[in-house]
Amino acid sequence: MRRRPDPAHPDHQRPGRPRHRARRCRGHRRRRLPHPRRGRLRQPAQTHRQTRRRALRPYAMLGRDGSRDVVAVKTSYKHGLDKDRGSQHYYTTLTLYDDVTGLPVAMMDCGRIGSLRTPAVSALLARECAPPGARSALVIGTGTQGRLALPFLLTTLPDLERLMLSGTHPEGVAAVREELRAHFPERDVELVTDLRAAAGDADVLVATAGGHTTAAVEADWLRPGALSVLVGHGLAPSALHRADRVVATSEAQMKVTGTDMADAAGGFPTVDAEFPAVLAGTATGRGTARERVFAYNSGLVVTDIALGHRFAQLALDQGLGTQVALWR
């Protein structure tokens, strides 16, 4: 299925390793990735570096896809978190390695991959954790994730009848409608102005707003049985701390990237289930029909691998990309 790289072509060269002063690298965590049995997926915690500047956040995710024999490292760097949206910067890369030959397959911009895989994971969370017979969904935010949320949700929950949107940017609202109709021409979304009332009507909430949003759905706004999925912003910390069940794509990742959801002491509630285990059938995403479930979506690197590997295959078949001499 996959063309493996030829060890003799291109001429790979190992780059020199930059030296760093140990006292300047704080909070770095090193993790070993156990080799799973064939066909298994492995998603460990993020590796991240604490920095003196709180306005930036660099981190990395390591994973292995046993069905494809591919190991990958995804790196992300967010800068200017204390500035307005137009002044912020976000860069992300994905490097794929062939776990049979040990050679790198591709290094690519992971922006488009992430924009697709994140709403897909939210939709899978909804499939596994939504209350039985869910009929209404509310999306908070009209950025990239907000625009893609509804088409993915309707794919995993086709019985959703009422689709609601909370957003303040007219261009974003129009883009959400355009994206929805591109995939489901017969469907439309209802723009809501009373967030509390809409949250109380929703069986599924997906919060994708940016960091400067004023939206903050509280726990007591939610109906019994509601599922709240946090991707960006739009949920108050109480939605997490007062939830009956907490599911996370990774508990460690939540503690790294979700610090705005911590309590006054900087703590988090115990995660009841990590989502890879829910997908594998070894953990439960929902216990009862009436429990309120909070789900934290910081992404699954195994979905980056699947999409990235597919993109790499297509690029190879079409003669795209550039061969570079990096490793021997």
Side-chain angles (χ1 to χ4, degrees):
M1 177 188 73
R2 178 179 70 258
R3 271 187 262 171
R4 300 190 183 278
D6 183 351
H9 183 76
D11 184 19
H12 301 290
Q13 298 180 1
R14 184 184 300 274
R17 296 180 61 186
R19 296 180 180 179
H20 299 280
R21 297 174 66 182
R23 67 182 179 87
R24 296 183 63 185
C25 296
R26 300 180 297 147
H28 176 73
R29 296 186 297 170
R30 195 173 178 182
R31 297 194 175 268
R32 179 177 298 171
L33 182 64
H35 197 288
R37 294 191 296 274
R38 183 173 182 83
R40 297 295 179 89
L41 303 174
R42 174 71 177 174
Q43 161 131 333
Q46 288 177 338
T47 297
H48 70 290
R49 179 186 173 191
Q50 299 291 342
T51 64
R52 289 187 178 92
R53 296 185 60 185
R54 297 301 180 187
L56 58 88
R57 182 186 295 131
Y59 56 91
M61 300 166 68
L62 169 68
R64 182 180 185 274
D65 185 338
S67 65
R68 294 176 175 83
D69 288 321
V70 172
V71 171
V73 179
K74 177 187 177 183
T75 63
S76 296
Y77 175 58
K78 297 180 180 180
H79 185 273
L81 299 179
D82 58 341
K83 301 178 181 178
D84 60 76
R85 182 184 301 182
S87 301
Q88 294 179 11
H89 301 282
Y90 176 61
Y91 306 100
T92 176
T93 62
L94 180 69
T95 306
L96 302 173
Y97 298 89
D98 190 310
D99 204 27
V100 175
T101 67
L103 294 175
V105 176
M107 175 180 285
M108 58 186 69
D109 182 342
C110 199
R112 179 58 176 166
I113 295 169
S115 69
L116 291 171
R117 67 84 147 129
T118 303
V121 173
S122 294
L124 290 173
L125 282 163
R127 186 189 70 184
E128 300 297 327
C129 305
R135 290 293 184 271
S136 58
L138 168 65
V139 173
I140 303 171
T142 60
T144 300
Q145 296 303 319
R147 297 171 191 182
L148 292 170
L150 289 173
F152 280 93
L153 278 177
L154 285 172
T155 300
T156 58
L157 296 177
D159 292 334
L160 288 175
E161 297 171 353
R162 187 182 180 192
L163 306 178
M164 296 174 282
L165 174 67
S166 173
T168 58
H169 299 282
E171 302 87 355
V173 172
V176 169
R177 286 199 164 106
E178 181 180 357
E179 191 71 30
L180 175 61
R181 289 168 179 165
H183 299 279
F184 295 89
E186 74 287 358
R187 302 302 302 267
D188 197 4
V189 62
E190 171 189 348
L191 183 64
V192 299
T193 55
D194 187 337
L195 180 59
R196 180 167 188 162
D201 289 342
D203 295 312
V204 177
L205 297 86
V206 181
T208 72
H212 291 83
T213 183
T214 59
V217 173
E218 298 284 353
D220 58 5
W221 298 6
L222 302 172
R223 62 167 45 177
L227 165 67
S228 303
V229 180
L230 183 62
V231 178
H233 299 268
L235 298 178
S238 65
L240 164 62
H241 293 273
R242 292 171 55 189
D244 299 307
R245 178 177 293 266
V246 177
V247 178
T249 48
S250 166
E251 183 171 11
Q253 289 175 14
M254 181 175 73
K255 292 177 179 179
V256 171
T257 61
T259 53
D260 57 314
M261 298 296 286
D263 61 19
F268 292 84
T270 300
V271 169
D272 297 291
E274 290 195 331
F275 194 50
V278 174
L279 287 175
T282 58
T284 302
R286 169 175 290 274
T288 68
R290 290 183 61 81
E291 68 179 5
R292 294 184 179 94
V293 179
F294 176 94
Y296 189 83
N297 179 6
S298 58
L300 293 172
V301 70
V302 293
T303 55
D304 293 303
I305 296 175
L307 277 173
H309 186 256
R310 179 57 178 160
F311 285 2
Q313 284 181 312
L314 293 172
L316 183 64
D317 292 341
Q318 297 175 39
L320 302 176
T322 304
Q323 285 191 335
V324 292
L326 292 177
W327 292 271
R328 186 183 300 278

